[in-house]
Amino acid sequence: MSTPAPPPTPSHTPAPGCSGARLPGRPRSAAADAAIIEAALRLIEEGATIGELSIEGIAREAGVGKATLYRRWSGKDALMIDVLRSLEEPSPRPDGVSVRDDLVTILELMRRRGLAKRNSALLRTVLTQMHANQKLWRTYDEHVIAARREVLREVLRRGVASGEIRDDLDIDLLADLFTGPMLARAILQEWKALPEGLAESIVDTVLEGVRPRA
Amino acid sequence: MSTPAPPPTPSHTPAPGCSGARLPGRPRSAAADAAIIEAALRLIEEGATIGELSIEGIAREAGVGKATLYRRWSGKDALMIDVLRSLEEPSPRPDGVSVRDDLVTILELMRRRGLAKRNSALLRTVLTQMHANQKLWRTYDEHVIAARREVLREVLRRGVASGEIRDDLDIDLLADLFTGPMLARAILQEWKALPEGLAESIVDTVLEGVRPRA
């Protein structure tokens, strides 16, 4: 196993003017959104659990009114999903040339997210607490993870159409065959290495099979 | 997807005479062990978290002295591992005839454990709380899950030796390729079906590969 790559920097870049210090008055639109997300993160960093956070408390910390917050989010769960999203690396579209390379791109992003979680106490805290709340996690899955899965499924369907992937397998099974090994290591066995090249190894071995080819 | 199989019954069979009712006096040896595990389970069922449980409280609930408990377990973590083990289906040894069939046996047991967790509130509570405690989970991993992984590795090594499995792949990678897809579905996406036949589908597809064979 090679040495793990240096941790990717989480993509948590607040809007200009909103980086931590409380804003005077009532910021609006994108700046207000960023200030609200920042406020929630600050409260979590200070030790508040997601269960303890209230819309009132977050609005107060952000220096905005509750109405500003409710114009953008339906409630705390919806806000928490954007809080988590602010800490995660965004998903690039696969470039669509080779199905094999697109699969590597998708798994490599999962590997980098796994490393980011290991290296950011804040990201770990938010993910763990959201995971412990089954309703919130399911909402996150439906809003964020489902879109990532759909990107993967499109790549797999393209592979089936082009003949690069067998046409007799269920798409959900195919998706789990590629992502399961990376998820198992990134999430369930966090003490295991996530070395560079792991995405390529998984993709190529699932494509070729582990039985010797004649 | 076919309908999930009926839930397997958890293998939680207390020793005779220890089924729930508090025992008079001080039971010894196997009976005492079972009474102590039963007592811990009863306290958890009544709403105590693992964090709240104490050796004193469990011994009192079991009607034994603390010394009896410490003769068998070094402390609460070690006891909790046996508490969880008492709720889980034991692992049969694969029969060692066909590597493919042994891999199916191992994955089928994982599928059944996934169904058991979905169907037993008590098992779910214990697993979730243990998982949230990183030190306790790692101890469980080292004492229980590691032995299961070693069984899998032996099967894979046998397959490499017999030529049923390619000899150019890392054993850990091979293990994750087979177990990752089942774990992803059983643990990370609990709302997904765990249909009969899933173990066979995963094993056969990982063996053959998803690229069409010439």
Side-chain angles (χ1 to χ4, degrees):
Chain A
M1 296 254 177
S2 61
T3 322
T9 316
S11 65
H12 169 222
T13 23
C18 300
S19 56
R22 202 177 298 208
L23 293 176
R26 299 191 165 207
R28 273 174 305 173
S29 66
D33 289 358
I36 290 164
I37 287 174
E38 278 294 302
L41 284 170
R42 212 154 48 231
L43 293 168
I44 293 167
E45 270 186 314
E46 286 164 6
T49 65
I50 291 177
E52 288 162 359
L53 291 180
S54 67
I55 290 292
E56 289 76 5
I58 296 167
R60 197 181 321 120
E61 175 75 15
V64 303
K66 272 167 51 175
T68 303
L69 202 152
Y70 279 118
R71 266 198 293 277
R72 176 73 177 76
W73 291 283
S74 60
K76 194 169 78 173
D77 281 7
L79 171 58
M80 281 305 127
I81 284 164
D82 279 350
V83 166
L84 176 49
R85 196 148 33 183
S86 78
L87 295 172
E88 292 194 313
E89 201 174 345
S91 304
R93 299 290 303 180
D95 73 8
V97 178
S98 143
V99 165
R100 182 265 180 194
D101 290 351
D102 283 357
L103 291 169
V104 170
T105 299
I106 290 169
L107 263 69
E108 173 63 10
L109 185 65
M110 292 170 63
R111 186 183 76 90
R112 292 169 58 84
R113 287 214 180 93
L115 288 173
K117 185 182 169 197
R118 294 177 187 194
N119 288 295
S120 160
L122 183 56
L123 178 55
R124 170 184 297 280
T125 300
V126 173
L127 274 171
T128 305
Q129 290 192 18
M130 283 184 61
H131 213 164
N133 177 335
Q134 218 175 0
K135 178 171 149 281
L136 182 51
W137 189 257
R138 185 151 187 172
T139 306
Y140 177 68
D141 185 87
E142 281 166 4
H143 283 81
V144 180
I145 304 182
R148 295 180 193 158
R149 270 198 298 267
E150 192 44 38
V151 169
L152 170 61
R153 269 143 57 154
E154 274 170 35
V155 170
L156 293 168
R157 281 189 215 107
R158 216 176 75 232
V160 171
S162 70
E164 287 164 272
I165 290 178
R166 286 162 55 184
D167 61 5
D168 60 336
L169 300 170
D170 177 73
I171 287 283
D172 276 337
L173 175 67
L174 279 171
D176 288 344
L177 290 175
F178 284 104
T179 59
M182 185 65 86
L183 288 173
R185 219 177 262 215
I187 298 182
L188 300 175
Q189 302 175 10
E190 292 198 62
W191 50 91
K192 275 210 189 165
L194 286 172
E196 268 190 86
L198 181 60
E200 287 84 350
S201 297
I202 293 172
V203 168
D204 289 333
T205 313
V206 174
L207 282 170
E208 290 307 314
V210 306
R211 202 194 283 283
R213 295 215 168 201
Chain B
M1 297 253 179
S2 62
T3 322
T9 316
S11 66
H12 168 221
T13 25
C18 300
S19 56
R22 201 176 301 206
L23 293 175
R26 300 193 164 206
R28 274 174 305 175
S29 68
D33 289 357
I36 290 164
I37 287 174
E38 278 294 301
L41 285 170
R42 212 154 47 232
L43 292 168
I44 293 167
E45 270 186 314
E46 285 164 4
T49 65
I50 292 177
E52 288 162 359
L53 290 181
S54 68
I55 291 292
E56 289 77 5
I58 296 167
R60 197 182 321 118
E61 176 75 15
V64 302
K66 271 168 52 177
T68 304
L69 201 151
Y70 278 117
R71 266 198 293 278
R72 176 73 177 78
W73 292 282
S74 61
K76 195 169 77 173
D77 281 7
L79 171 57
M80 282 304 127
I81 285 165
D82 279 350
V83 166
L84 176 49
R85 197 149 30 185
S86 78
L87 295 173
E88 292 193 314
E89 201 174 345
S91 305
R93 300 289 303 181
D95 73 8
V97 178
S98 144
V99 165
R100 182 264 181 196
D101 290 352
D102 283 356
L103 291 168
V104 170
T105 299
I106 291 169
L107 263 69
E108 173 63 11
L109 186 65
M110 293 171 64
R111 186 182 77 90
R112 292 169 58 85
R113 286 215 180 92
L115 288 173
K117 185 182 170 199
R118 293 177 188 194
N119 287 294
S120 160
L122 183 57
L123 178 55
R124 168 184 298 280
T125 300
V126 174
L127 274 170
T128 304
Q129 290 192 18
M130 283 184 60
H131 213 164
N133 177 333
Q134 218 173 1
K135 178 172 150 281
L136 181 51
W137 189 255
R138 185 150 188 173
T139 307
Y140 177 68
D141 185 87
E142 281 166 3
H143 283 81
V144 180
I145 304 182
R148 295 180 193 158
R149 271 198 297 267
E150 191 46 37
V151 169
L152 170 61
R153 266 136 70 142
E154 275 170 34
V155 170
L156 293 168
R157 282 189 214 106
R158 217 176 76 231
V160 172
S162 69
E164 288 164 271
I165 291 179
R166 286 161 55 184
D167 61 5
D168 61 336
L169 299 170
D170 178 72
I171 288 283
D172 275 336
L173 175 67
L174 278 171
D176 288 344
L177 290 175
F178 284 104
T179 59
M182 185 65 85
L183 287 173
R185 218 176 265 214
I187 299 182
L188 300 175
Q189 303 175 9
E190 292 199 60
W191 49 91
K192 275 211 191 166
L194 286 172
E196 268 191 85
L198 181 60
E200 288 84 350
S201 296
I202 292 172
V203 169
D204 289 334
T205 313
V206 174
L207 283 170
E208 290 307 314
V210 307
R211 201 194 283 285
R213 294 214 168 201

